[in-house]
Short mmCIF file of all heavy atoms in Angstrom, two decimals:
data_model
loop_
_atom_site.label_atom_id
_atom_site.label_comp_id
_atom_site.label_asym_id
_atom_site.label_seq_id
_atom_site.Cartn_x
_atom_site.Cartn_y
_atom_site.Cartn_z
N LEU A 237 33.56 54.02 -32.82
CA LEU A 237 34.95 54.66 -33.16
C LEU A 237 34.72 56.29 -33.11
O LEU A 237 35.84 56.90 -32.79
CB LEU A 237 35.18 54.12 -34.53
CG LEU A 237 35.65 52.69 -34.71
CD1 LEU A 237 35.86 52.33 -36.18
CD2 LEU A 237 36.88 52.47 -33.85
N LEU A 238 33.60 56.69 -33.52
CA LEU A 238 33.39 58.21 -33.72
C LEU A 238 32.80 58.81 -32.50
O LEU A 238 32.54 60.01 -32.52
CB LEU A 238 32.78 58.62 -34.95
CG LEU A 238 33.50 57.94 -36.18
CD1 LEU A 238 32.62 58.36 -37.46
CD2 LEU A 238 34.93 58.44 -36.42
N GLN A 239 32.43 58.02 -31.52
CA GLN A 239 31.74 58.41 -30.27
C GLN A 239 30.41 59.05 -30.69
O GLN A 239 30.09 60.25 -30.19
CB GLN A 239 32.58 59.45 -29.47
CG GLN A 239 33.84 58.68 -28.92
CD GLN A 239 34.70 59.58 -28.13
OE1 GLN A 239 35.23 60.64 -28.51
NE2 GLN A 239 34.95 59.15 -26.89
N LEU A 240 29.60 58.36 -31.36
CA LEU A 240 28.21 58.78 -31.83
C LEU A 240 27.33 57.84 -31.19
O LEU A 240 26.89 56.87 -31.89
CB LEU A 240 28.16 58.84 -33.44
CG LEU A 240 29.19 59.71 -33.96
CD1 LEU A 240 29.01 59.44 -35.66
CD2 LEU A 240 28.97 61.19 -33.83
N ASP A 241 26.89 58.03 -30.04
CA ASP A 241 26.12 57.06 -29.20
C ASP A 241 24.87 56.81 -29.81
O ASP A 241 24.22 55.76 -29.86
CB ASP A 241 25.94 57.59 -27.88
CG ASP A 241 27.24 57.63 -26.93
OD1 ASP A 241 28.16 56.94 -27.38
OD2 ASP A 241 27.22 58.32 -25.86
N ASP A 242 24.29 57.84 -30.52
CA ASP A 242 22.93 57.66 -31.17
C ASP A 242 23.02 56.69 -32.30
O ASP A 242 22.07 56.04 -32.71
CB ASP A 242 22.40 59.04 -31.69
CG ASP A 242 23.33 59.63 -32.67
OD1 ASP A 242 24.47 59.56 -32.47
OD2 ASP A 242 22.73 60.36 -33.51
N GLN A 243 24.11 56.65 -32.91
CA GLN A 243 24.23 55.69 -34.04
C GLN A 243 24.52 54.23 -33.55
O GLN A 243 24.11 53.23 -34.20
CB GLN A 243 25.49 56.07 -34.92
CG GLN A 243 25.18 57.26 -35.76
CD GLN A 243 26.08 57.59 -36.93
OE1 GLN A 243 26.72 56.58 -37.44
NE2 GLN A 243 26.06 58.75 -37.52
N VAL A 244 24.92 54.04 -32.29
CA VAL A 244 25.11 52.76 -31.74
C VAL A 244 23.77 52.27 -31.51
O VAL A 244 23.28 51.10 -31.72
CB VAL A 244 25.92 52.61 -30.46
CG1 VAL A 244 25.99 51.36 -29.80
CG2 VAL A 244 27.38 53.12 -30.85
N THR A 245 22.81 53.19 -30.98
CA THR A 245 21.36 52.78 -30.62
C THR A 245 20.72 52.42 -32.02
O THR A 245 19.96 51.44 -32.07
CB THR A 245 20.80 54.03 -29.97
OG1 THR A 245 21.36 54.23 -28.69
CG2 THR A 245 19.29 53.68 -29.75
N LEU A 246 20.89 53.32 -33.06
CA LEU A 246 20.42 53.02 -34.31
C LEU A 246 20.85 51.64 -34.81
O LEU A 246 19.98 50.89 -35.34
CB LEU A 246 20.83 54.11 -35.24
CG LEU A 246 20.46 54.01 -36.80
CD1 LEU A 246 18.97 53.87 -36.90
CD2 LEU A 246 20.99 55.11 -37.56
N GLY A 247 22.04 51.39 -34.83
CA GLY A 247 22.61 50.16 -35.12
C GLY A 247 21.83 48.86 -34.50
O GLY A 247 21.58 47.91 -35.08
N GLU A 248 21.72 49.03 -33.18
CA GLU A 248 20.89 47.99 -32.39
C GLU A 248 19.50 47.87 -32.99
O GLU A 248 19.02 46.68 -33.15
CB GLU A 248 20.91 48.23 -30.91
CG GLU A 248 20.30 47.09 -30.06
CD GLU A 248 20.45 47.29 -28.69
OE1 GLU A 248 21.08 48.18 -28.18
OE2 GLU A 248 19.59 46.57 -28.00
N GLN A 249 18.83 48.95 -33.26
CA GLN A 249 17.54 48.88 -33.75
C GLN A 249 17.43 48.18 -35.12
O GLN A 249 16.39 47.35 -35.38
CB GLN A 249 16.86 50.33 -33.79
CG GLN A 249 16.70 50.98 -32.50
CD GLN A 249 16.21 52.42 -32.65
OE1 GLN A 249 16.99 53.27 -33.14
NE2 GLN A 249 15.04 52.75 -32.19
N LEU A 250 18.38 48.42 -35.91
CA LEU A 250 18.44 47.79 -37.27
C LEU A 250 18.83 46.21 -37.04
O LEU A 250 18.20 45.48 -37.75
CB LEU A 250 19.50 48.57 -38.10
CG LEU A 250 19.09 49.83 -38.53
CD1 LEU A 250 20.35 50.64 -38.99
CD2 LEU A 250 18.12 49.75 -39.54
N ALA A 251 19.69 45.91 -36.19
CA ALA A 251 20.05 44.54 -35.91
C ALA A 251 18.81 43.84 -35.46
O ALA A 251 18.55 42.62 -35.87
CB ALA A 251 21.20 44.41 -35.10
N ARG A 252 18.16 44.36 -34.50
CA ARG A 252 16.96 43.70 -33.96
C ARG A 252 15.83 43.66 -34.88
O ARG A 252 15.04 42.61 -35.06
CB ARG A 252 16.46 44.51 -32.72
CG ARG A 252 17.34 44.41 -31.57
CD ARG A 252 16.83 45.10 -30.34
NE ARG A 252 17.72 45.08 -29.08
CZ ARG A 252 17.60 44.04 -28.29
NH1 ARG A 252 16.73 42.96 -28.44
NH2 ARG A 252 18.35 44.04 -27.27
N GLY A 253 15.78 44.57 -36.00
CA GLY A 253 14.82 44.47 -36.99
C GLY A 253 15.00 43.14 -37.78
O GLY A 253 14.06 42.52 -38.21
N CYS A 254 16.28 42.92 -38.11
CA CYS A 254 16.67 41.74 -38.84
C CYS A 254 16.31 40.52 -38.07
O CYS A 254 15.76 39.48 -38.69
CB CYS A 254 18.06 41.73 -39.25
SG CYS A 254 18.51 43.04 -40.47
N GLY A 255 16.57 40.48 -36.80
CA GLY A 255 16.10 39.36 -35.93
C GLY A 255 14.56 39.12 -35.91
O GLY A 255 14.08 38.06 -36.02
N TRP A 256 13.85 40.27 -35.97
CA TRP A 256 12.32 40.24 -36.02
C TRP A 256 12.02 39.56 -37.30
O TRP A 256 11.04 38.70 -37.38
CB TRP A 256 11.73 41.63 -35.85
CG TRP A 256 10.30 41.62 -36.28
CD1 TRP A 256 9.19 41.25 -35.41
CD2 TRP A 256 9.83 42.03 -37.58
NE1 TRP A 256 8.10 41.47 -36.09
CE2 TRP A 256 8.35 41.92 -37.43
CE3 TRP A 256 10.30 42.47 -38.79
CZ2 TRP A 256 7.43 42.14 -38.47
CZ3 TRP A 256 9.45 42.68 -39.80
CH2 TRP A 256 7.93 42.49 -39.72
N ALA A 257 12.60 39.89 -38.41
CA ALA A 257 12.21 39.41 -39.71
C ALA A 257 12.49 37.85 -39.79
O ALA A 257 11.66 37.19 -40.47
CB ALA A 257 13.01 40.18 -40.81
N TYR A 258 13.56 37.43 -39.16
CA TYR A 258 13.83 36.04 -39.11
C TYR A 258 12.63 35.36 -38.33
O TYR A 258 11.98 34.48 -38.79
CB TYR A 258 15.12 35.79 -38.27
CG TYR A 258 16.31 35.53 -39.15
CD1 TYR A 258 16.82 36.51 -39.87
CD2 TYR A 258 17.00 34.29 -39.07
CE1 TYR A 258 17.97 36.33 -40.59
CE2 TYR A 258 18.05 34.10 -39.88
CZ TYR A 258 18.54 35.13 -40.61
OH TYR A 258 19.71 34.90 -41.42
N ALA A 259 12.31 35.80 -37.04
CA ALA A 259 11.33 35.19 -36.21
C ALA A 259 9.94 35.17 -36.85
O ALA A 259 9.16 34.32 -36.50
CB ALA A 259 11.30 35.88 -34.85
N SER A 260 9.69 36.19 -37.74
CA SER A 260 8.31 36.35 -38.37
C SER A 260 8.02 35.28 -39.30
O SER A 260 6.82 34.98 -39.45
CB SER A 260 8.25 37.64 -39.04
OG SER A 260 8.40 38.74 -38.02
N MET A 261 8.93 34.65 -40.00
CA MET A 261 8.70 33.63 -41.00
C MET A 261 8.47 32.24 -40.47
O MET A 261 8.99 31.88 -39.46
CB MET A 261 9.87 33.66 -41.98
CG MET A 261 9.93 35.03 -42.84
SD MET A 261 8.57 35.14 -43.93
CE MET A 261 8.47 37.00 -44.26
N PRO A 262 7.73 31.52 -41.20
CA PRO A 262 7.41 30.16 -40.83
C PRO A 262 8.64 29.25 -40.49
O PRO A 262 8.66 28.49 -39.71
CB PRO A 262 6.47 29.47 -41.89
CG PRO A 262 5.86 30.71 -42.56
CD PRO A 262 6.90 31.83 -42.37
N THR A 263 9.76 29.47 -41.37
CA THR A 263 11.00 28.80 -41.18
C THR A 263 11.87 29.33 -40.09
O THR A 263 12.86 28.77 -39.70
CB THR A 263 11.79 28.78 -42.54
OG1 THR A 263 11.88 30.10 -42.88
CG2 THR A 263 11.09 27.99 -43.61
N GLY A 264 11.51 30.54 -39.72
CA GLY A 264 12.46 31.25 -38.70
C GLY A 264 13.53 32.01 -39.33
O GLY A 264 14.52 32.26 -38.70
N ILE A 265 13.48 32.13 -40.75
CA ILE A 265 14.59 32.89 -41.48
C ILE A 265 13.93 33.93 -42.35
O ILE A 265 12.91 33.61 -43.05
CB ILE A 265 15.26 31.79 -42.32
CG1 ILE A 265 15.70 30.66 -41.56
CG2 ILE A 265 16.47 32.47 -43.06
CD1 ILE A 265 16.35 29.47 -42.37
N MET A 266 14.63 35.05 -42.49
CA MET A 266 14.11 36.09 -43.30
C MET A 266 14.35 35.90 -44.77
O MET A 266 15.30 35.17 -45.12
CB MET A 266 14.73 37.39 -42.83
CG MET A 266 16.24 37.54 -43.46
SD MET A 266 17.04 39.08 -42.58
CE MET A 266 16.01 40.31 -43.26
N PRO A 267 13.62 36.33 -45.66
CA PRO A 267 13.86 36.35 -47.20
C PRO A 267 14.91 37.07 -47.60
O PRO A 267 15.46 38.01 -46.93
CB PRO A 267 12.41 36.84 -47.72
CG PRO A 267 11.46 37.00 -46.68
CD PRO A 267 12.35 37.17 -45.42
N GLU A 268 15.37 36.67 -48.85
CA GLU A 268 16.52 37.47 -49.52
C GLU A 268 16.09 38.81 -49.75
O GLU A 268 16.84 39.82 -49.46
CB GLU A 268 16.80 36.61 -50.70
CG GLU A 268 17.92 37.34 -51.62
CD GLU A 268 19.40 37.15 -50.94
OE1 GLU A 268 19.48 36.47 -49.93
OE2 GLU A 268 20.29 37.60 -51.70
N ILE A 269 14.88 39.12 -50.40
CA ILE A 269 14.42 40.53 -50.67
C ILE A 269 12.84 40.47 -50.25
O ILE A 269 12.18 39.62 -50.64
CB ILE A 269 14.55 40.83 -52.02
CG1 ILE A 269 16.12 40.64 -52.52
CG2 ILE A 269 14.19 42.20 -52.46
CD1 ILE A 269 16.33 40.98 -54.07
N PHE A 270 12.57 41.57 -49.53
CA PHE A 270 11.19 41.70 -49.05
C PHE A 270 10.82 43.15 -48.89
O PHE A 270 11.69 43.94 -48.85
CB PHE A 270 11.03 40.97 -47.66
CG PHE A 270 11.94 41.37 -46.65
CD1 PHE A 270 11.58 42.41 -45.71
CD2 PHE A 270 13.19 40.95 -46.52
CE1 PHE A 270 12.47 42.84 -44.74
CE2 PHE A 270 14.06 41.34 -45.64
CZ PHE A 270 13.66 42.30 -44.73
N ASP A 271 9.52 43.45 -48.85
CA ASP A 271 9.01 44.72 -48.87
C ASP A 271 8.08 44.85 -47.51
O ASP A 271 7.48 43.85 -47.16
CB ASP A 271 8.13 45.08 -50.02
CG ASP A 271 8.06 46.67 -50.12
OD1 ASP A 271 8.44 47.41 -49.29
OD2 ASP A 271 7.45 47.06 -51.26
N LEU A 272 8.21 45.99 -46.88
CA LEU A 272 7.50 46.20 -45.61
C LEU A 272 6.61 47.49 -45.70
O LEU A 272 6.77 48.36 -46.42
CB LEU A 272 8.47 46.39 -44.38
CG LEU A 272 9.33 45.21 -44.06
CD1 LEU A 272 10.51 45.70 -43.23
CD2 LEU A 272 8.54 44.04 -43.32
N VAL A 273 5.39 47.38 -44.98
CA VAL A 273 4.55 48.45 -44.87
C VAL A 273 5.26 49.46 -43.83
O VAL A 273 5.48 49.08 -42.73
CB VAL A 273 3.14 48.14 -44.43
CG1 VAL A 273 2.35 49.44 -44.21
CG2 VAL A 273 2.59 47.21 -45.40
N ALA A 274 5.53 50.72 -44.21
CA ALA A 274 6.33 51.62 -43.35
C ALA A 274 5.33 52.52 -42.60
O ALA A 274 4.29 53.03 -42.96
CB ALA A 274 7.23 52.45 -44.19
N CYS A 275 5.86 52.90 -41.41
CA CYS A 275 5.19 54.06 -40.67
C CYS A 275 5.53 55.35 -41.22
O CYS A 275 6.32 55.55 -42.11
CB CYS A 275 5.73 54.11 -39.25
SG CYS A 275 5.48 52.52 -38.25
N ASP A 276 4.67 56.36 -40.96
CA ASP A 276 4.82 57.68 -41.57
C ASP A 276 6.12 58.36 -41.12
O ASP A 276 6.69 59.08 -41.88
CB ASP A 276 3.61 58.54 -41.21
CG ASP A 276 2.39 58.09 -41.89
OD1 ASP A 276 2.39 57.46 -42.97
OD2 ASP A 276 1.30 58.31 -41.31
N ALA A 277 6.62 57.90 -40.00
CA ALA A 277 7.81 58.67 -39.43
C ALA A 277 8.57 57.59 -38.64
O ALA A 277 8.03 56.60 -38.18
CB ALA A 277 7.46 59.82 -38.65
N VAL A 278 9.95 57.76 -38.64
CA VAL A 278 10.88 56.93 -37.78
C VAL A 278 10.56 57.05 -36.45
O VAL A 278 10.50 56.07 -35.61
CB VAL A 278 12.24 57.34 -38.18
CG1 VAL A 278 13.25 56.49 -37.38
CG2 VAL A 278 12.46 57.03 -39.71
N ASP A 279 10.25 58.29 -35.88
CA ASP A 279 10.01 58.52 -34.47
C ASP A 279 8.47 58.69 -34.33
O ASP A 279 7.77 59.09 -35.28
CB ASP A 279 10.79 59.73 -34.02
CG ASP A 279 12.26 59.44 -34.07
OD1 ASP A 279 12.75 58.42 -33.70
OD2 ASP A 279 13.00 60.40 -34.57
N GLY A 280 7.98 58.68 -33.13
CA GLY A 280 6.58 58.87 -32.87
C GLY A 280 5.75 57.75 -33.02
O GLY A 280 6.13 56.62 -33.36
N PRO A 281 4.45 57.89 -32.71
CA PRO A 281 3.56 56.70 -32.66
C PRO A 281 3.37 56.05 -33.94
O PRO A 281 3.36 56.89 -34.98
CB PRO A 281 2.23 57.35 -32.10
CG PRO A 281 2.42 58.81 -32.36
CD PRO A 281 3.91 59.22 -32.30
#
């Protein structure tokens, strides 16, 4: 709506993150509340 292409990309990365959380679990479904080990930065190695 606001022509912010970087936010569309960000949105897809977030959506795919939730898809990954589903696939990671034995049931194929993500938990209600969970904690993750984070990288030091959003960008970069």
Side-chain angles (χ1 to χ4, degrees):
L237 291 172
L238 306 179
Q239 297 182 300
L240 304 170
D241 292 342
D242 58 330
Q243 292 200 14
V244 179
T245 301
L246 174 60
E248 184 179 347
Q249 292 172 298
L250 289 163
R252 288 182 182 274
C254 292
W256 168 83
Y258 264 66
S260 298
M261 290 295 160
T263 54
I265 308 171
M266 73 190 300
E268 178 76 358
I269 303 175
F270 55 94
D271 199 353
L272 296 163
V273 179
C275 299
D276 293 332
V278 173
D279 299 316

